[in-house]
Amino acid sequence: EGVFAGVPKVSAAVFAAGEKLLWDVSAGQFDDSAATPATGDVMGAAIAWVAGLNTETTCTIKLTPGNSTVT
């Protein structure tokens, strides 16, 4: 649990602060909640601490253990 900055993000992902994020296992990056999860992806293990904008390659997240689902 904690807040981490400089975490890899899908550059096209756009999200608001507080939004649940998807960990894209194959890309090794966080994506927005509208992304379609693939096998092994994890939803809800982190939320956006700061809004993520298009073209950004890193983001700031807060880990939320115990709130995730694996596809």
Side-chain angles (χ1 to χ4, degrees):
E1 190 171 349
V3 175
F4 299 89
V7 179
K9 169 193 165 295
V10 173
S11 66
V14 177
F15 45 79
E19 182 176 336
K20 285 184 179 180
L21 298 177
L22 173 79
W23 176 250
D24 184 331
V25 173
S26 63
Q29 300 173 328
F30 281 98
D31 206 341
D32 60 49
S33 62
T36 302
T39 301
D41 288 352
V42 181
M43 175 59 87
I47 61 167
W49 194 249
V50 176
L53 306 175
N54 189 18
T55 72
E56 292 179 328
T57 58
T58 63
C59 59
T60 302
I61 58 108
K62 177 175 173 74
L63 294 178
T64 55
N67 294 306
S68 61
T69 55
V70 178
T71 316

